[in-house]
Amino acid sequence: MSGHYLGLDLGGTKIEAGVLTDAGAILARRRIATSELRDGPETLPNLVRLGLAVMADAGVDRVQGVGVALPGPVDQNPLRLLAAPTIPEIEGVPLDGPLREAFHVPVAGDNDANACALAESRFGAGRGQRHVVYVTVSTGIGGGIVVDGRVFRGARGTSGEFGHQIVAHGQGPRCDCGATGCLEALASGRGIAWRAEAWLRYPEAPASALRGREPLTAEDVAAAARAGDKLAQEVWTETARCLAIGLSNVINVLDPDVIILGGGVALGAADLLLPPLREWVDRICMPSLSRHTPIVTAVLGADLGLIAAAVLAMPAAE
Ligand SMILES: [Zn+2]
């Protein structure tokens, strides 16, 4: 059956609405700043108006379903965002009822990481695969697990917290979750900056163009590594090693068809990260599995968030 789906991607800084075909093609899209949506009790009605406006842009008077991607932990029943520092107006507010009433169709939602996992598995780098792991490496590290074309949510909806795998207990900075040795603390954008700054403080650290430029970002460390900076290159090698430990654990436990890496750090520094990452996975992972598990980058680019929202409303592929 062919049809149209409305995707509502609620991000921390921007809100995007779009009408998509069930093949993932975007017919129309609108984007506003999150601050423009926020207006006390009018926040949810504003979201409905945005959805209706983009449907009018697409020349569509009804859709088969509405999908909502949310920037935080999500409860499914009723659909609500449990913590929403960037859109406090909808924190804890049931969304499925009001949206179903406004659009007269089924409503489905999830956190953005699970939604992106489903989108990349259906329309992106995991197309045609049954079991897909999506890992996003940006300021933090998260992701989602797709099993047989459906998101695996776990008992409490918190599966896919790849960033809180313990890969080096007792080492590195304390993670936001309270533990030490979490992958996120060691290999996220913040972890990369932390590692570079920590190494610069060693008296025996090699000369580095990064010295005196603290506080650093992952982009600073990437630019320096590409320019031949030894310390920066070492930071990426060590980051790749930490990520490889995490991904090898995932491969050994889940045996996915493919691992897809997304997020600003993984995509922006794929040239620095992927070659040593694959090498380390080959060394660490069970040999029979590492040979068969490609590690690739996400391909949906700037459309990912919108496709991710809409795909939530689409029936699972057979
Ligand atoms: Zn953690």
Short mmCIF file of all heavy atoms in Angstrom, two decimals, residues 33-80:
data_model
loop_
_atom_site.label_atom_id
_atom_site.label_comp_id
_atom_site.label_asym_id
_atom_site.label_seq_id
_atom_site.Cartn_x
_atom_site.Cartn_y
_atom_site.Cartn_z
N ALA A 33 12.64 27.27 14.64
CA ALA A 33 13.46 27.14 15.85
C ALA A 33 12.59 26.59 16.97
O ALA A 33 11.39 26.89 17.04
CB ALA A 33 14.04 28.49 16.24
N THR A 34 13.19 25.77 17.85
CA THR A 34 12.44 25.23 18.98
C THR A 34 11.82 26.35 19.81
O THR A 34 10.69 26.23 20.30
CB THR A 34 13.37 24.34 19.84
OG1 THR A 34 13.91 23.32 19.01
CG2 THR A 34 12.63 23.71 21.00
N SER A 35 12.54 27.47 19.92
CA SER A 35 12.03 28.60 20.70
C SER A 35 10.75 29.17 20.09
O SER A 35 9.90 29.71 20.79
CB SER A 35 13.10 29.69 20.80
OG SER A 35 13.54 30.06 19.51
N GLU A 36 10.60 29.03 18.75
CA GLU A 36 9.38 29.51 18.09
C GLU A 36 8.17 28.64 18.42
O GLU A 36 7.04 29.12 18.41
CB GLU A 36 9.56 29.48 16.56
CG GLU A 36 10.27 30.66 15.96
CD GLU A 36 10.34 30.49 14.45
OE1 GLU A 36 9.33 30.71 13.77
OE2 GLU A 36 11.43 30.09 13.97
N LEU A 37 8.41 27.35 18.65
CA LEU A 37 7.32 26.43 18.98
C LEU A 37 6.81 26.66 20.38
O LEU A 37 5.61 26.58 20.66
CB LEU A 37 7.81 24.98 18.85
CG LEU A 37 6.74 23.90 19.06
CD1 LEU A 37 5.98 23.67 17.76
CD2 LEU A 37 7.36 22.60 19.55
N ARG A 38 7.76 26.98 21.27
CA ARG A 38 7.43 27.06 22.70
C ARG A 38 6.57 28.27 23.00
O ARG A 38 6.94 29.40 22.72
CB ARG A 38 8.72 27.13 23.52
CG ARG A 38 9.57 25.89 23.41
CD ARG A 38 10.81 26.03 24.24
NE ARG A 38 10.47 26.43 25.61
CZ ARG A 38 11.34 26.96 26.47
NH1 ARG A 38 12.58 27.16 26.11
NH2 ARG A 38 10.95 27.29 27.67
N ASP A 39 5.37 28.01 23.54
CA ASP A 39 4.47 29.11 23.90
C ASP A 39 3.48 28.59 24.93
O ASP A 39 2.27 28.52 24.67
CB ASP A 39 3.76 29.62 22.63
CG ASP A 39 2.92 30.87 22.92
OD1 ASP A 39 3.08 31.45 24.02
OD2 ASP A 39 2.10 31.22 22.07
N GLY A 40 3.97 28.18 26.08
CA GLY A 40 3.12 27.70 27.17
C GLY A 40 2.13 26.65 26.68
O GLY A 40 2.53 25.71 25.98
N PRO A 41 0.84 26.82 27.00
CA PRO A 41 -0.15 25.82 26.60
C PRO A 41 -0.39 25.77 25.09
O PRO A 41 -1.04 24.86 24.59
CB PRO A 41 -1.43 26.25 27.34
CG PRO A 41 -1.19 27.66 27.76
CD PRO A 41 0.28 27.88 27.86
N GLU A 42 0.14 26.74 24.36
CA GLU A 42 -0.01 26.75 22.90
C GLU A 42 1.06 25.93 22.19
O GLU A 42 1.07 25.82 20.96
CB GLU A 42 0.03 28.19 22.37
CG GLU A 42 -1.27 28.96 22.53
CD GLU A 42 -2.44 28.27 21.81
OE1 GLU A 42 -2.37 28.14 20.58
OE2 GLU A 42 -3.38 27.85 22.51
N THR A 43 1.99 25.36 22.97
CA THR A 43 3.12 24.64 22.35
C THR A 43 2.65 23.48 21.48
O THR A 43 3.04 23.35 20.32
CB THR A 43 4.10 24.15 23.43
OG1 THR A 43 4.56 25.31 24.17
CG2 THR A 43 5.30 23.45 22.82
N LEU A 44 1.79 22.64 22.05
CA LEU A 44 1.31 21.47 21.30
C LEU A 44 0.41 21.90 20.12
O LEU A 44 0.59 21.41 19.00
CB LEU A 44 0.60 20.50 22.25
CG LEU A 44 0.42 19.06 21.79
CD1 LEU A 44 1.69 18.48 21.19
CD2 LEU A 44 -0.05 18.19 22.96
N PRO A 45 -0.55 22.83 20.34
CA PRO A 45 -1.30 23.36 19.19
C PRO A 45 -0.39 23.95 18.10
O PRO A 45 -0.66 23.81 16.91
CB PRO A 45 -2.21 24.43 19.80
CG PRO A 45 -2.41 23.98 21.21
CD PRO A 45 -1.12 23.32 21.62
N ASN A 46 0.72 24.59 18.49
CA ASN A 46 1.67 25.11 17.50
C ASN A 46 2.25 23.98 16.66
O ASN A 46 2.45 24.13 15.45
CB ASN A 46 2.82 25.84 18.20
CG ASN A 46 2.44 27.24 18.64
OD1 ASN A 46 1.41 27.77 18.20
ND2 ASN A 46 3.25 27.84 19.50
N LEU A 47 2.52 22.84 17.31
CA LEU A 47 3.07 21.68 16.59
C LEU A 47 2.04 21.16 15.59
O LEU A 47 2.38 20.82 14.45
CB LEU A 47 3.47 20.60 17.60
CG LEU A 47 4.18 19.37 17.04
CD1 LEU A 47 5.51 19.75 16.40
CD2 LEU A 47 4.39 18.32 18.13
N VAL A 48 0.79 21.10 16.01
CA VAL A 48 -0.28 20.66 15.11
C VAL A 48 -0.39 21.61 13.92
O VAL A 48 -0.47 21.18 12.76
CB VAL A 48 -1.63 20.58 15.86
CG1 VAL A 48 -2.79 20.37 14.89
CG2 VAL A 48 -1.58 19.46 16.90
N ARG A 49 -0.33 22.92 14.18
CA ARG A 49 -0.42 23.91 13.08
C ARG A 49 0.75 23.74 12.11
O ARG A 49 0.58 23.84 10.90
CB ARG A 49 -0.45 25.33 13.65
CG ARG A 49 -1.82 25.71 14.24
CD ARG A 49 -1.88 27.20 14.58
NE ARG A 49 -1.33 27.50 15.89
CZ ARG A 49 -2.05 27.44 17.02
NH1 ARG A 49 -3.33 27.13 16.99
NH2 ARG A 49 -1.48 27.72 18.17
N LEU A 50 1.92 23.45 12.65
CA LEU A 50 3.09 23.24 11.78
C LEU A 50 2.87 22.01 10.89
O LEU A 50 3.16 22.04 9.68
CB LEU A 50 4.35 23.05 12.65
CG LEU A 50 5.67 22.85 11.92
CD1 LEU A 50 6.07 24.13 11.19
CD2 LEU A 50 6.78 22.43 12.90
N GLY A 51 2.32 20.95 11.47
CA GLY A 51 2.04 19.73 10.71
C GLY A 51 1.01 19.98 9.62
O GLY A 51 1.17 19.54 8.47
N LEU A 52 -0.06 20.70 9.96
CA LEU A 52 -1.10 20.99 8.96
C LEU A 52 -0.55 21.87 7.84
O LEU A 52 -0.90 21.69 6.67
CB LEU A 52 -2.31 21.66 9.64
CG LEU A 52 -3.10 20.76 10.60
CD1 LEU A 52 -4.13 21.58 11.39
CD2 LEU A 52 -3.80 19.61 9.84
N ALA A 53 0.32 22.81 8.21
CA ALA A 53 0.88 23.71 7.20
C ALA A 53 1.74 22.94 6.20
O ALA A 53 1.67 23.18 4.99
CB ALA A 53 1.71 24.80 7.89
N VAL A 54 2.52 21.99 6.69
CA VAL A 54 3.40 21.26 5.77
C VAL A 54 2.59 20.27 4.93
O VAL A 54 2.93 20.00 3.77
CB VAL A 54 4.56 20.59 6.54
CG1 VAL A 54 4.15 19.29 7.19
CG2 VAL A 54 5.74 20.34 5.62
N MET A 55 1.48 19.78 5.48
CA MET A 55 0.58 18.94 4.67
C MET A 55 -0.02 19.77 3.53
O MET A 55 -0.13 19.29 2.39
CB MET A 55 -0.53 18.34 5.54
CG MET A 55 -0.06 17.16 6.39
SD MET A 55 -1.28 16.65 7.63
CE MET A 55 -2.63 16.13 6.59
N ALA A 56 -0.38 21.02 3.83
CA ALA A 56 -0.90 21.92 2.79
C ALA A 56 0.17 22.18 1.73
O ALA A 56 -0.10 22.16 0.53
CB ALA A 56 -1.39 23.22 3.42
N ASP A 57 1.43 22.39 2.19
CA ASP A 57 2.54 22.58 1.24
C ASP A 57 2.65 21.40 0.28
O ASP A 57 2.96 21.56 -0.91
CB ASP A 57 3.89 22.69 1.98
CG ASP A 57 4.00 23.96 2.82
OD1 ASP A 57 3.19 24.88 2.61
OD2 ASP A 57 4.90 24.00 3.68
N ALA A 58 2.45 20.19 0.83
CA ALA A 58 2.61 18.97 0.03
C ALA A 58 1.36 18.68 -0.80
O ALA A 58 1.36 17.75 -1.62
CB ALA A 58 2.92 17.78 0.94
N GLY A 59 0.28 19.45 -0.58
CA GLY A 59 -0.96 19.20 -1.30
C GLY A 59 -1.63 17.90 -0.87
O GLY A 59 -2.27 17.22 -1.66
N VAL A 60 -1.48 17.57 0.42
CA VAL A 60 -2.00 16.32 0.96
C VAL A 60 -3.02 16.66 2.02
O VAL A 60 -2.73 17.43 2.94
CB VAL A 60 -0.82 15.52 1.57
CG1 VAL A 60 -1.31 14.44 2.50
CG2 VAL A 60 0.06 14.92 0.48
N ASP A 61 -4.25 16.13 1.93
CA ASP A 61 -5.21 16.48 2.98
C ASP A 61 -5.35 15.40 4.04
O ASP A 61 -5.96 15.62 5.07
CB ASP A 61 -6.59 16.89 2.41
CG ASP A 61 -7.15 15.83 1.49
OD1 ASP A 61 -6.61 14.70 1.49
OD2 ASP A 61 -8.12 16.13 0.76
N ARG A 62 -4.75 14.22 3.78
CA ARG A 62 -4.66 13.26 4.88
C ARG A 62 -3.41 12.40 4.74
O ARG A 62 -2.88 12.22 3.64
CB ARG A 62 -5.93 12.42 5.01
CG ARG A 62 -6.18 11.38 3.96
CD ARG A 62 -7.49 10.65 4.29
NE ARG A 62 -7.41 9.82 5.49
CZ ARG A 62 -7.04 8.54 5.48
NH1 ARG A 62 -6.68 7.97 4.35
NH2 ARG A 62 -7.01 7.84 6.59
N VAL A 63 -2.97 11.91 5.90
CA VAL A 63 -1.79 11.04 5.92
C VAL A 63 -2.19 9.72 6.56
O VAL A 63 -3.26 9.62 7.18
CB VAL A 63 -0.62 11.68 6.71
CG1 VAL A 63 -0.03 12.86 5.97
CG2 VAL A 63 -1.05 12.08 8.12
N GLN A 64 -1.32 8.70 6.39
CA GLN A 64 -1.62 7.38 6.96
C GLN A 64 -1.23 7.30 8.44
O GLN A 64 -1.75 6.47 9.17
CB GLN A 64 -0.84 6.30 6.20
CG GLN A 64 -1.66 5.52 5.19
CD GLN A 64 -2.18 6.41 4.08
OE1 GLN A 64 -1.43 7.21 3.55
NE2 GLN A 64 -3.45 6.27 3.76
N GLY A 65 -0.31 8.17 8.84
CA GLY A 65 0.12 8.13 10.23
C GLY A 65 1.03 9.31 10.54
O GLY A 65 1.54 9.96 9.62
N VAL A 66 1.19 9.56 11.84
CA VAL A 66 2.07 10.64 12.29
C VAL A 66 3.18 10.03 13.15
O VAL A 66 2.89 9.26 14.08
CB VAL A 66 1.29 11.69 13.12
CG1 VAL A 66 2.24 12.77 13.65
CG2 VAL A 66 0.18 12.31 12.29
N GLY A 67 4.42 10.34 12.82
CA GLY A 67 5.56 9.86 13.60
C GLY A 67 6.25 11.04 14.28
O GLY A 67 6.45 12.08 13.68
N VAL A 68 6.60 10.85 15.55
CA VAL A 68 7.22 11.93 16.32
C VAL A 68 8.55 11.45 16.90
O VAL A 68 8.60 10.48 17.65
CB VAL A 68 6.31 12.37 17.51
CG1 VAL A 68 6.78 13.71 18.06
CG2 VAL A 68 4.86 12.45 17.10
N ALA A 69 9.63 12.14 16.54
CA ALA A 69 10.94 11.84 17.13
C ALA A 69 11.20 12.86 18.23
O ALA A 69 11.06 14.07 18.02
CB ALA A 69 12.03 11.92 16.06
N LEU A 70 11.58 12.36 19.42
CA LEU A 70 11.65 13.21 20.61
C LEU A 70 13.07 13.25 21.18
O LEU A 70 13.79 12.24 21.17
CB LEU A 70 10.68 12.67 21.66
CG LEU A 70 9.20 12.76 21.24
CD1 LEU A 70 8.33 11.83 22.06
CD2 LEU A 70 8.71 14.20 21.36
N PRO A 71 13.46 14.43 21.70
CA PRO A 71 14.87 14.61 22.13
C PRO A 71 15.14 14.19 23.57
O PRO A 71 15.66 14.97 24.35
CB PRO A 71 15.05 16.12 21.97
CG PRO A 71 13.70 16.69 22.30
CD PRO A 71 12.69 15.67 21.82
N GLY A 72 14.80 12.94 23.92
CA GLY A 72 15.06 12.51 25.29
C GLY A 72 14.37 11.19 25.57
O GLY A 72 13.81 10.58 24.66
N PRO A 73 14.40 10.75 26.84
CA PRO A 73 13.77 9.48 27.19
C PRO A 73 12.25 9.54 26.99
O PRO A 73 11.62 10.54 27.33
CB PRO A 73 14.15 9.28 28.66
CG PRO A 73 14.49 10.63 29.16
CD PRO A 73 15.01 11.41 28.00
N VAL A 74 11.69 8.45 26.46
CA VAL A 74 10.29 8.44 26.04
C VAL A 74 9.55 7.32 26.74
O VAL A 74 10.07 6.20 26.85
CB VAL A 74 10.22 8.26 24.51
CG1 VAL A 74 8.80 7.95 24.05
CG2 VAL A 74 10.76 9.49 23.79
N ASP A 75 8.37 7.60 27.23
CA ASP A 75 7.45 6.58 27.70
C ASP A 75 6.46 6.32 26.56
O ASP A 75 6.00 7.25 25.93
CB ASP A 75 6.72 7.08 28.96
CG ASP A 75 5.89 5.99 29.60
OD1 ASP A 75 6.12 4.80 29.29
OD2 ASP A 75 5.01 6.32 30.41
N GLN A 76 6.16 5.04 26.30
CA GLN A 76 5.32 4.71 25.15
C GLN A 76 3.83 4.76 25.46
O GLN A 76 3.01 4.89 24.57
CB GLN A 76 5.68 3.31 24.63
CG GLN A 76 6.98 3.26 23.85
CD GLN A 76 6.90 3.99 22.52
OE1 GLN A 76 5.85 4.04 21.88
NE2 GLN A 76 8.01 4.59 22.09
N ASN A 77 3.47 4.63 26.73
CA ASN A 77 2.06 4.43 27.04
C ASN A 77 1.58 5.22 28.25
O ASN A 77 1.64 4.74 29.35
CB ASN A 77 1.84 2.92 27.28
CG ASN A 77 0.48 2.47 26.82
OD1 ASN A 77 -0.37 3.30 26.50
ND2 ASN A 77 0.25 1.18 26.85
N PRO A 78 1.08 6.45 28.06
CA PRO A 78 0.93 7.15 26.79
C PRO A 78 2.28 7.67 26.29
O PRO A 78 3.23 7.76 27.07
CB PRO A 78 0.00 8.32 27.15
CG PRO A 78 0.31 8.61 28.57
CD PRO A 78 0.64 7.29 29.21
N LEU A 79 2.29 8.04 25.01
CA LEU A 79 3.52 8.58 24.42
C LEU A 79 3.84 9.93 25.06
O LEU A 79 3.05 10.88 24.95
CB LEU A 79 3.34 8.75 22.91
CG LEU A 79 4.55 9.36 22.19
CD1 LEU A 79 5.73 8.41 22.19
CD2 LEU A 79 4.18 9.75 20.76
N ARG A 80 4.97 10.01 25.75
CA ARG A 80 5.36 11.30 26.33
C ARG A 80 6.86 11.35 26.52
O ARG A 80 7.54 10.32 26.64
CB ARG A 80 4.62 11.55 27.66
CG ARG A 80 4.85 10.51 28.70
CD ARG A 80 3.74 10.48 29.75
NE ARG A 80 3.95 9.30 30.59
CZ ARG A 80 4.32 9.34 31.87
NH1 ARG A 80 4.45 10.49 32.49
NH2 ARG A 80 4.54 8.24 32.54
#
